Amino acid sequence: MLMSTVLDEPHPMQNAMVSGARSSSLPLEWLVPLADRVGALARSSGRAFVEGNATLAASLLAAGGEHSQVDSALDGAWSEVLGAPRRNAIGAEVGLITSLHTIADLAARICAEVIELSDRPLVRTQPAIHRLAELVPELLGDALGALRENDSSSADRVLRQGPTVDACFAQTYLDLLDVVGRVGGFDTAQRLHAVTSAFERIGDGASDIAHSVRDALS
């Protein structure tokens, strides 16, 4: 399970600057450090939810915090792609950066909801929602592994795992109904639905990354 009890350690290449250099034969390699950073942000947001850790969520959203830094790096990646001469891989690059930007924003949404939900005990007793919060970062990690290894077969495996995430997401509605049935549960259920929808869309983003890997290698 990817959820740890300590803050995710940064990837060794996490702080690399987006550069115009294209010395490698891997068409998306220059985006791997940024993708790893987005993955770490998503894992941390998932861990903040599972642990009910509002302090971690707030640190990720703070001015100059990890989300702000990732968002700035993504803007730099957009400038790099849009300002460079057209390359064979540009379609895959645009698709990947779009997916990463979406995932980063969804991670921020999860953190915001974690802060709002931090004093609500109903959040701690929803097994399907917590399973989704664990499963989706694992799927995203597999997708980023396919990107890092430039491996289309790994990307295919990620795409085959999509239905598992969809099934888990469907089960979360039972959890939400349980919350609604309790005193004061409607607002909590709405916020939990925002969280589950964000995780489900991060799962979609993992599939999009897998598609980008396949497209870059085709």
Side-chain angles (χ1 to χ4, degrees):
M1 183 171 67
L2 291 181
M3 303 297 173
S4 61
T5 56
V6 297
L7 184 64
D8 294 303
E9 293 294 329
H11 187 275
M13 297 178 68
Q14 193 175 57
N15 296 316
M17 297 295 293
V18 173
S19 168
R22 300 289 186 269
S23 59
S24 171
S25 61
L26 304 185
L28 298 175
E29 187 186 45
W30 70 285
L31 287 168
V32 168
L34 179 54
D36 283 341
R37 196 165 186 176
V38 171
L41 175 63
R43 287 194 302 274
S44 294
S45 68
R47 182 159 54 83
F49 175 76
V50 169
E51 297 175 358
N53 190 337
T55 300
L56 172 56
S59 71
L60 294 171
L61 294 182
E66 186 61 14
H67 176 257
S68 176
Q69 294 179 39
V70 166
D71 201 49
S72 178
L74 285 163
D75 287 343
W78 277 121
S79 297
E80 172 67 19
V81 168
L82 298 178
R86 184 169 181 84
R87 300 181 298 273
N88 291 336
I90 193 169
E93 289 173 328
V94 167
L96 176 58
I97 296 170
T98 299
S99 298
L100 294 175
H101 224 145
T102 298
I103 290 168
D105 288 345
L106 291 167
R109 176 66 183 274
I110 291 167
C111 288
E113 296 296 349
V114 167
I115 294 169
E116 292 294 332
L117 291 165
S118 60
D119 60 348
R120 306 188 191 194
L122 295 180
V123 178
R124 310 297 299 169
T125 58
Q126 308 307 318
I129 295 175
H130 280 241
R131 175 57 183 151
L132 186 70
E134 295 169 348
L135 181 62
V136 167
E138 290 176 0
L139 182 69
L140 178 59
D142 290 342
L144 295 178
L147 174 65
R148 194 178 304 110
E149 300 300 324
N150 207 42
D151 185 356
S152 60
S153 62
S154 295
D156 288 337
R157 285 195 297 272
V158 170
L159 295 174
R160 291 195 296 270
Q161 294 171 28
T164 301
V165 172
D166 292 340
C168 187
F169 177 65
Q171 292 172 1
T172 64
Y173 282 93
L174 297 176
D175 285 355
L176 296 175
L177 288 173
D178 178 65
V179 172
V180 169
R182 304 189 191 189
V183 176
F186 185 73
D187 181 65
T188 298
Q190 285 185 310
R191 293 190 178 279
L192 285 172
H193 179 61
V195 170
T196 59
S197 295
F199 279 122
E200 194 264 345
R201 290 183 60 198
I202 290 174
D204 289 342
S207 295
D208 291 340
I209 290 171
H211 279 296
S212 293
V213 173
R214 289 202 317 186
D215 291 346
L217 295 173
S218 61

